[in-house]
Amino acid sequence: FDLSEPLVITATGGRKGGAGTQVYSPDAADLQSALDQDQFFAMYQPKISCFSGDLVGFEALMRWNHSQHGFIPPDRFIASAENTGMIDALTERMLDISLSWFAPRYARSSVRLSINLSARSRLDDAFVDKLLARCTEAGVPADQLIFELTETSAMEDPVASLDLLTRMRMKGFHLSIDDLGTGFSSLLQLVRLPFSELKVDKSFVITAASSSESRQVIQAIVSLGQSLGIQSTAEGVEDAQTLQFLREIGCNFAQGFHIARPMEQDAAANWTHFTLQ
Ligand code: C2E
Ligand code: MG
Ligand code: MG
Ligand code: MG
């Protein structure tokens, strides 16, 4: 089935009263055993230039192939990983998995690799140094990596985020604000963080063709980026009109099912560009 779509996990047994579906909620031991058994893998979704259709990068999206529960999407386990302190181990694993795919094909090219980062990441130099060491080992310059942090998680603790993000930026990594428009951030605090990409949340982009409010929000975010000298990406581009609209307003990059779904490593490696109509 389609691994790019969210999936409801129904747990059997252990139910008390009522015939409800339960959502599988992994604990630290489950996540550790999944790491030990190599059950995590990545799907890669291309990102293109809105103007040329050329491939500019891939976003690595984590998947869990669970021995009993099947394929579990990240929305079902990232929060548990954050709450149990396992998130750093998962981030490091994702970096290892995706670098071993990315490095032999794209190292020292103009194609970049985006990795989602959690705000609950350990806030010390050792963590950032570890990420950098992984890149150096793989022969991928830090400049080719983009770490995405959601608006909500970046603003949970803006001071801690500023500290972490500044240290990451100083190592050469690029940083992106993911799901922009869904939080209620102080723009003033947000623009003080050293981001190099604004990523418009898919809720606006998916509805752009049918909603002028959505188009206005997208346009406002892209203009903000332009006035700050920060490039914008729209995620969730599901139709040709939306891609056309993004070109008209000067949005730099696009990602979405209309362009390409997240793909397994071999299919992603064969993906080269999108033909604009
Ligand atoms: P995200 O980083 O905002 O990723 C975009 C999500 O939208 C992905 O869902 C992707 O499959 C989906 N998507 C892409 N294009 C379209 C489209 O055109 N239409 C629609 N309806 N959806 C689209 P996915 O893979 O289920 O990931 C969900 C979230 O889980 C991600 O949102 C990210 O916040 C988190 N996540 C994924 N991998 C990781 C990871 O390695 N580490 C961390 N910390 N979080 C991760
Ligand atoms: Mg993302
Ligand atoms: Mg997003
Ligand atoms: Mg999201």
Side-chain angles (χ1 to χ4, degrees), residues 46-49 52-58 110-113 146 233 252-254 271-272:
K47 174 158 91 177
I48 61 160
S49 154
S52 65
D54 288 345
L55 175 70
V56 297
F58 289 98
S110 60
V111 176
R112 287 189 168 142
L113 175 66
I146 303 176
T233 296
N252 307 87
F253 309 120
W271 202 95
T272 52

PDB file of all heavy atoms in Angstrom, residues 46-49 52-58 110-113 146 233 252-254 271-272:
ATOM      1  N   PRO A  46      11.159  14.531  -3.312  1.00  0.00           N
ATOM      2  CA  PRO A  46      11.905  15.571  -4.032  1.00  0.00           C
ATOM      3  C   PRO A  46      11.353  16.962  -3.763  1.00  0.00           C
ATOM      4  O   PRO A  46      10.161  17.141  -3.524  1.00  0.00           O
ATOM      5  CB  PRO A  46      11.696  15.209  -5.506  1.00  0.00           C
ATOM      6  CG  PRO A  46      11.241  13.792  -5.528  1.00  0.00           C
ATOM      7  CD  PRO A  46      10.510  13.576  -4.244  1.00  0.00           C
ATOM      8  N   LYS A  47      12.253  17.927  -3.825  1.00  0.00           N
ATOM      9  CA  LYS A  47      11.896  19.347  -3.767  1.00  0.00           C
ATOM     10  C   LYS A  47      12.416  19.954  -5.061  1.00  0.00           C
ATOM     11  O   LYS A  47      13.544  19.669  -5.458  1.00  0.00           O
ATOM     12  CB  LYS A  47      12.575  19.978  -2.544  1.00  0.00           C
ATOM     13  CG  LYS A  47      12.407  21.464  -2.436  1.00  0.00           C
ATOM     14  CD  LYS A  47      12.623  21.913  -0.996  1.00  0.00           C
ATOM     15  CE  LYS A  47      14.064  22.276  -0.736  1.00  0.00           C
ATOM     16  NZ  LYS A  47      14.273  22.766   0.632  1.00  0.00           N
ATOM     17  N   ILE A  48      11.580  20.756  -5.737  1.00  0.00           N
ATOM     18  CA  ILE A  48      12.002  21.324  -7.027  1.00  0.00           C
ATOM     19  C   ILE A  48      12.021  22.849  -7.001  1.00  0.00           C
ATOM     20  O   ILE A  48      11.410  23.476  -6.128  1.00  0.00           O
ATOM     21  CB  ILE A  48      11.055  20.887  -8.183  1.00  0.00           C
ATOM     22  CG1 ILE A  48       9.609  21.369  -7.919  1.00  0.00           C
ATOM     23  CG2 ILE A  48      11.136  19.399  -8.426  1.00  0.00           C
ATOM     24  CD1 ILE A  48       8.730  21.424  -9.163  1.00  0.00           C
ATOM     25  N   SER A  49      12.692  23.425  -7.984  1.00  0.00           N
ATOM     26  CA  SER A  49      12.581  24.855  -8.239  1.00  0.00           C
ATOM     27  C   SER A  49      11.238  25.085  -8.923  1.00  0.00           C
ATOM     28  O   SER A  49      10.909  24.393  -9.891  1.00  0.00           O
ATOM     29  CB  SER A  49      13.721  25.304  -9.160  1.00  0.00           C
ATOM     30  OG  SER A  49      13.314  26.463  -9.878  1.00  0.00           O
ATOM     31  N   SER A  52      12.069  26.171 -12.770  1.00  0.00           N
ATOM     32  CA  SER A  52      12.678  25.297 -13.777  1.00  0.00           C
ATOM     33  C   SER A  52      12.189  23.853 -13.672  1.00  0.00           C
ATOM     34  O   SER A  52      12.355  23.079 -14.613  1.00  0.00           O
ATOM     35  CB  SER A  52      14.200  25.308 -13.608  1.00  0.00           C
ATOM     36  OG  SER A  52      14.539  24.730 -12.351  1.00  0.00           O
ATOM     37  N   GLY A  53      11.619  23.477 -12.537  1.00  0.00           N
ATOM     38  CA  GLY A  53      11.243  22.081 -12.319  1.00  0.00           C
ATOM     39  C   GLY A  53      12.437  21.220 -11.898  1.00  0.00           C
ATOM     40  O   GLY A  53      12.285  20.022 -11.628  1.00  0.00           O
ATOM     41  N   ASP A  54      13.623  21.826 -11.846  1.00  0.00           N
ATOM     42  CA  ASP A  54      14.826  21.064 -11.488  1.00  0.00           C
ATOM     43  C   ASP A  54      14.793  20.593 -10.034  1.00  0.00           C
ATOM     44  O   ASP A  54      14.295  21.293  -9.155  1.00  0.00           O
ATOM     45  CB  ASP A  54      16.090  21.931 -11.669  1.00  0.00           C
ATOM     46  CG  ASP A  54      16.406  22.165 -13.134  1.00  0.00           C
ATOM     47  OD1 ASP A  54      15.848  21.445 -13.984  1.00  0.00           O
ATOM     48  OD2 ASP A  54      17.198  23.091 -13.419  1.00  0.00           O
ATOM     49  N   LEU A  55      15.365  19.438  -9.817  1.00  0.00           N
ATOM     50  CA  LEU A  55      15.518  18.892  -8.471  1.00  0.00           C
ATOM     51  C   LEU A  55      16.492  19.767  -7.678  1.00  0.00           C
ATOM     52  O   LEU A  55      17.600  20.028  -8.133  1.00  0.00           O
ATOM     53  CB  LEU A  55      16.084  17.471  -8.576  1.00  0.00           C
ATOM     54  CG  LEU A  55      16.428  16.759  -7.274  1.00  0.00           C
ATOM     55  CD1 LEU A  55      15.179  16.391  -6.505  1.00  0.00           C
ATOM     56  CD2 LEU A  55      17.250  15.502  -7.575  1.00  0.00           C
ATOM     57  N   VAL A  56      16.080  20.232  -6.498  1.00  0.00           N
ATOM     58  CA  VAL A  56      17.018  20.989  -5.659  1.00  0.00           C
ATOM     59  C   VAL A  56      17.345  20.243  -4.376  1.00  0.00           C
ATOM     60  O   VAL A  56      18.322  20.556  -3.701  1.00  0.00           O
ATOM     61  CB  VAL A  56      16.503  22.413  -5.330  1.00  0.00           C
ATOM     62  CG1 VAL A  56      16.361  23.245  -6.600  1.00  0.00           C
ATOM     63  CG2 VAL A  56      15.188  22.371  -4.564  1.00  0.00           C
ATOM     64  N   GLY A  57      16.528  19.239  -4.029  1.00  0.00           N
ATOM     65  CA  GLY A  57      16.824  18.492  -2.812  1.00  0.00           C
ATOM     66  C   GLY A  57      15.810  17.407  -2.548  1.00  0.00           C
ATOM     67  O   GLY A  57      14.835  17.244  -3.296  1.00  0.00           O
ATOM     68  N   PHE A  58      16.069  16.657  -1.465  1.00  0.00           N
ATOM     69  CA  PHE A  58      15.140  15.634  -0.997  1.00  0.00           C
ATOM     70  C   PHE A  58      14.892  15.848   0.489  1.00  0.00           C
ATOM     71  O   PHE A  58      15.823  16.173   1.229  1.00  0.00           O
ATOM     72  CB  PHE A  58      15.748  14.231  -1.141  1.00  0.00           C
ATOM     73  CG  PHE A  58      15.876  13.740  -2.547  1.00  0.00           C
ATOM     74  CD1 PHE A  58      17.087  13.853  -3.221  1.00  0.00           C
ATOM     75  CD2 PHE A  58      14.796  13.156  -3.196  1.00  0.00           C
ATOM     76  CE1 PHE A  58      17.224  13.380  -4.519  1.00  0.00           C
ATOM     77  CE2 PHE A  58      14.927  12.678  -4.503  1.00  0.00           C
ATOM     78  CZ  PHE A  58      16.131  12.791  -5.161  1.00  0.00           C
ATOM     79  N   SER A 110      24.667  20.244  -6.215  1.00  0.00           N
ATOM     80  CA  SER A 110      23.797  21.321  -5.733  1.00  0.00           C
ATOM     81  C   SER A 110      22.538  20.763  -5.048  1.00  0.00           C
ATOM     82  O   SER A 110      21.721  21.525  -4.542  1.00  0.00           O
ATOM     83  CB  SER A 110      23.398  22.217  -6.909  1.00  0.00           C
ATOM     84  OG  SER A 110      22.711  21.426  -7.862  1.00  0.00           O
ATOM     85  N   VAL A 111      22.392  19.444  -5.028  1.00  0.00           N
ATOM     86  CA  VAL A 111      21.213  18.830  -4.394  1.00  0.00           C
ATOM     87  C   VAL A 111      21.423  18.785  -2.877  1.00  0.00           C
ATOM     88  O   VAL A 111      22.495  18.423  -2.407  1.00  0.00           O
ATOM     89  CB  VAL A 111      20.972  17.404  -4.956  1.00  0.00           C
ATOM     90  CG1 VAL A 111      19.823  16.712  -4.254  1.00  0.00           C
ATOM     91  CG2 VAL A 111      20.722  17.471  -6.463  1.00  0.00           C
ATOM     92  N   ARG A 112      20.377  19.185  -2.124  1.00  0.00           N
ATOM     93  CA  ARG A 112      20.496  19.191  -0.660  1.00  0.00           C
ATOM     94  C   ARG A 112      19.617  18.121  -0.028  1.00  0.00           C
ATOM     95  O   ARG A 112      18.654  17.656  -0.638  1.00  0.00           O
ATOM     96  CB  ARG A 112      20.106  20.565  -0.122  1.00  0.00           C
ATOM     97  CG  ARG A 112      21.188  21.586  -0.436  1.00  0.00           C
ATOM     98  CD  ARG A 112      20.927  22.899   0.267  1.00  0.00           C
ATOM     99  NE  ARG A 112      22.117  23.726   0.169  1.00  0.00           N
ATOM    100  CZ  ARG A 112      22.110  25.040  -0.015  1.00  0.00           C
ATOM    101  NH1 ARG A 112      20.958  25.691  -0.101  1.00  0.00           N
ATOM    102  NH2 ARG A 112      23.241  25.715  -0.072  1.00  0.00           N
ATOM    103  N   LEU A 113      19.960  17.774   1.194  1.00  0.00           N
ATOM    104  CA  LEU A 113      19.209  16.778   1.959  1.00  0.00           C
ATOM    105  C   LEU A 113      18.573  17.455   3.163  1.00  0.00           C
ATOM    106  O   LEU A 113      19.268  18.102   3.946  1.00  0.00           O
ATOM    107  CB  LEU A 113      20.165  15.663   2.417  1.00  0.00           C
ATOM    108  CG  LEU A 113      19.592  14.585   3.332  1.00  0.00           C
ATOM    109  CD1 LEU A 113      18.524  13.748   2.604  1.00  0.00           C
ATOM    110  CD2 LEU A 113      20.703  13.671   3.853  1.00  0.00           C
ATOM    111  N   ILE A 146      19.969  20.480   5.321  1.00  0.00           N
ATOM    112  CA  ILE A 146      18.997  21.436   5.855  1.00  0.00           C
ATOM    113  C   ILE A 146      18.278  20.740   7.003  1.00  0.00           C
ATOM    114  O   ILE A 146      17.719  19.650   6.810  1.00  0.00           O
ATOM    115  CB  ILE A 146      17.955  21.847   4.785  1.00  0.00           C
ATOM    116  CG1 ILE A 146      18.638  22.436   3.546  1.00  0.00           C
ATOM    117  CG2 ILE A 146      16.947  22.831   5.376  1.00  0.00           C
ATOM    118  CD1 ILE A 146      17.677  22.782   2.403  1.00  0.00           C
ATOM    119  N   THR A 233       9.702  27.652   0.565  1.00  0.00           N
ATOM    120  CA  THR A 233       9.275  26.388  -0.030  1.00  0.00           C
ATOM    121  C   THR A 233       7.812  26.182   0.327  1.00  0.00           C
ATOM    122  O   THR A 233       7.416  26.443   1.460  1.00  0.00           O
ATOM    123  CB  THR A 233      10.109  25.212   0.541  1.00  0.00           C
ATOM    124  OG1 THR A 233      11.466  25.374   0.155  1.00  0.00           O
ATOM    125  CG2 THR A 233       9.605  23.866   0.034  1.00  0.00           C
ATOM    126  N   ASN A 252      10.136  30.165  -4.169  1.00  0.00           N
ATOM    127  CA  ASN A 252      11.297  29.522  -4.775  1.00  0.00           C
ATOM    128  C   ASN A 252      11.125  28.039  -5.087  1.00  0.00           C
ATOM    129  O   ASN A 252      11.416  27.599  -6.189  1.00  0.00           O
ATOM    130  CB  ASN A 252      12.527  29.670  -3.863  1.00  0.00           C
ATOM    131  CG  ASN A 252      12.790  31.102  -3.475  1.00  0.00           C
ATOM    132  OD1 ASN A 252      12.231  31.587  -2.487  1.00  0.00           O
ATOM    133  ND2 ASN A 252      13.590  31.799  -4.274  1.00  0.00           N
ATOM    134  N   PHE A 253      10.664  27.282  -4.068  1.00  0.00           N
ATOM    135  CA  PHE A 253      10.691  25.818  -4.186  1.00  0.00           C
ATOM    136  C   PHE A 253       9.346  25.191  -3.857  1.00  0.00           C
ATOM    137  O   PHE A 253       8.527  25.802  -3.159  1.00  0.00           O
ATOM    138  CB  PHE A 253      11.764  25.235  -3.254  1.00  0.00           C
ATOM    139  CG  PHE A 253      13.113  25.879  -3.409  1.00  0.00           C
ATOM    140  CD1 PHE A 253      13.718  26.518  -2.341  1.00  0.00           C
ATOM    141  CD2 PHE A 253      13.775  25.849  -4.633  1.00  0.00           C
ATOM    142  CE1 PHE A 253      14.966  27.122  -2.476  1.00  0.00           C
ATOM    143  CE2 PHE A 253      15.023  26.446  -4.788  1.00  0.00           C
ATOM    144  CZ  PHE A 253      15.617  27.087  -3.703  1.00  0.00           C
ATOM    145  N   ALA A 254       9.138  23.984  -4.348  1.00  0.00           N
ATOM    146  CA  ALA A 254       7.879  23.286  -4.092  1.00  0.00           C
ATOM    147  C   ALA A 254       8.102  21.793  -3.877  1.00  0.00           C
ATOM    148  O   ALA A 254       9.023  21.193  -4.425  1.00  0.00           O
ATOM    149  CB  ALA A 254       6.919  23.491  -5.259  1.00  0.00           C
ATOM    150  N   TRP A 271      14.880   9.667  -9.712  1.00  0.00           N
ATOM    151  CA  TRP A 271      14.061  10.846  -9.975  1.00  0.00           C
ATOM    152  C   TRP A 271      14.975  12.031 -10.286  1.00  0.00           C
ATOM    153  O   TRP A 271      15.877  12.329  -9.526  1.00  0.00           O
ATOM    154  CB  TRP A 271      13.189  11.151  -8.739  1.00  0.00           C
ATOM    155  CG  TRP A 271      11.976  11.963  -9.060  1.00  0.00           C
ATOM    156  CD1 TRP A 271      10.732  11.497  -9.325  1.00  0.00           C
ATOM    157  CD2 TRP A 271      11.896  13.402  -9.137  1.00  0.00           C
ATOM    158  NE1 TRP A 271       9.874  12.551  -9.574  1.00  0.00           N
ATOM    159  CE2 TRP A 271      10.561  13.714  -9.468  1.00  0.00           C
ATOM    160  CE3 TRP A 271      12.817  14.449  -8.978  1.00  0.00           C
ATOM    161  CZ2 TRP A 271      10.121  15.030  -9.633  1.00  0.00           C
ATOM    162  CZ3 TRP A 271      12.382  15.743  -9.139  1.00  0.00           C
ATOM    163  CH2 TRP A 271      11.042  16.022  -9.468  1.00  0.00           C
ATOM    164  N   THR A 272      14.740  12.698 -11.431  1.00  0.00           N
ATOM    165  CA  THR A 272      15.680  13.766 -11.789  1.00  0.00           C
ATOM    166  C   THR A 272      15.062  15.154 -11.913  1.00  0.00           C
ATOM    167  O   THR A 272      15.674  16.140 -11.517  1.00  0.00           O
ATOM    168  CB  THR A 272      16.393  13.457 -13.114  1.00  0.00           C
ATOM    169  OG1 THR A 272      15.393  13.154 -14.093  1.00  0.00           O
ATOM    170  CG2 THR A 272      17.355  12.289 -12.969  1.00  0.00           C
TER     171      THR A 272
END
